Amino acid sequence: MAKKILANISEIRRYFHTNKDPIYFVSATNFNLLGLDEWVKNFTYICYMDCFDGRHPNVFVPSELPHDEFQSIEDINNYLLQHKEVIDLVKRKGGKPKFVFLMFDEKTEALVKELGGEVWFPRARLRTKMDNKIETVRIGNKAGVPSVPNALSEVKSYRHLCEIADKAGLGRDLVLQSAFGDSGHTTFFIRSEADFRKHEHEIVGEGEIKIMKRIDCRGSAIEACATKQGTIVGPLMTELVGFKELTPYRGGWCGNEIFATAFPPKTRQKARELTFKFGEQLRKEGYRGYFELDFLIDKKTGDLWLGELNPRITGASSMTNHAAFAHADAPLFLFHLLEFSGKPFNLDVDELNARWADPDMIDSWSQMVIKHTEDSVDIVTHAPQSGIYKMLEDGRVVYDRFDYHRRAVGDNEAFFLRILKPGDYRYEGADLGILVKRGRSMTNGFKLTDESRRWIHGIKSAFAARPLPSAQAFEDPAFKIM
């Protein structure tokens, strides 16, 4: 007997509201897929950090066990999948478990197999290949999605770099990116030999490097999902980048805004078209499911350039999956789950994309990822709890009530998801938490608003810490957790 084909959004929503097999999102926190448990029955978050102090009904945090120092999110996930309490939970829930991750590797895949489960993402090896910034340029070239004028080459010295740049007509004011890593850590701005010397150990001997002409640009992000029916494209979001109040990393991502008029209509449409083309090329490369593209928009010309590909959910996913169009139809990640479920579906992707391009389908929200920006290390003694905060008329920020969902946010309010808890080290670059509010965080000139600065100050002021004993050595982790 042939499987029933899901023929419209209503049937897709009902399919997940009656989902039988457990689906687990395993990660350091549940931030990236916050709220998805309200769309999918039997959806559970397995987390290392308890951002909600045991008060979220679908977050499971096992007790802490001794472990090697984590070097990556993959290490955290592999620790969780081997934890007896997690194994017991999966066995207790039974069914045919499915697992989704922010990051995973081949060890993760083996651990999921041991649990009798399936990873609902493309294979780790393929994701790693797609994640290579050099490979992204090549995929974009095939798809007709242009990158900033660049050259791809190993770099042996500053003199060699100048030769490559001159040959490619890039000038001497350059931006270099290594194949892997977070943009805040592995993007280097080089306009002199002195600049090069500072980062030489991170450039020379690191294989192919992406060498770009420096442009005066604005960052943007757009998420999509490559399905067998075609690529479904979300809205173009602004990016908060490098604000010293939020991050110590120059060029480091620190938030997003989503609002209907974020960019001129022509820019929004162009970004959507390029994202669709890129998604269709990804399908040819064997990749399917959720992905995110960063576009760089030249401030002078308005030209759109491909920045990078994230073949996964990202820090912007909570924005995409909570937008007005998501509530009207379905969150973008639901289509990812649908793609991997094997359930036949038949959607008019062109019609869906046209509807999601309508400005009326986008409401205005912003999120700020707040890091500890001082060059200091101490131990947190008090941290503000997750929930809804209110800004008083005098600009003070106060805790109002507990909630684990941003939809409860009203005027002069924001939802704060706490990351750092009492007893944790607070070091330069440590994630304190994420603040989500209605409206914009930046001005039309893309500077932080005064209100945003008050929110940041209010949240940071709610943390208290004691000095680190002088004999205690500390080394901050070199990876981000969201």
Side-chain angles (χ1 to χ4, degrees), residues 187-235:
T187 300
F188 314 111
F189 299 88
I190 311 291
R191 61 167 52 148
S192 67
E193 187 164 4
D195 291 340
F196 183 83
R197 292 274 173 250
K198 278 187 228 167
H199 303 290
E200 187 170 9
H201 63 290
E202 298 171 277
I203 297 168
V204 175
E206 290 299 310
E208 271 190 311
I209 298 285
K210 183 179 175 185
I211 303 158
M212 295 174 281
K213 173 183 179 180
R214 190 190 300 208
I215 60 170
D216 186 13
C217 63
R218 182 154 290 131
S220 65
I222 190 165
E223 296 191 311
C225 184
T227 77
K228 59 179 71 71
Q229 298 287 320
T231 301
I232 302 167
V233 183

Side-chain angles (χ1 to χ4, degrees), residues 257 440-450:
E257 299 174 312
R440 297 198 60 184
S441 292
M442 296 189 289
T443 65
N444 288 338
F446 289 80
K447 306 291 184 186
L448 282 178
T449 65
D450 290 339

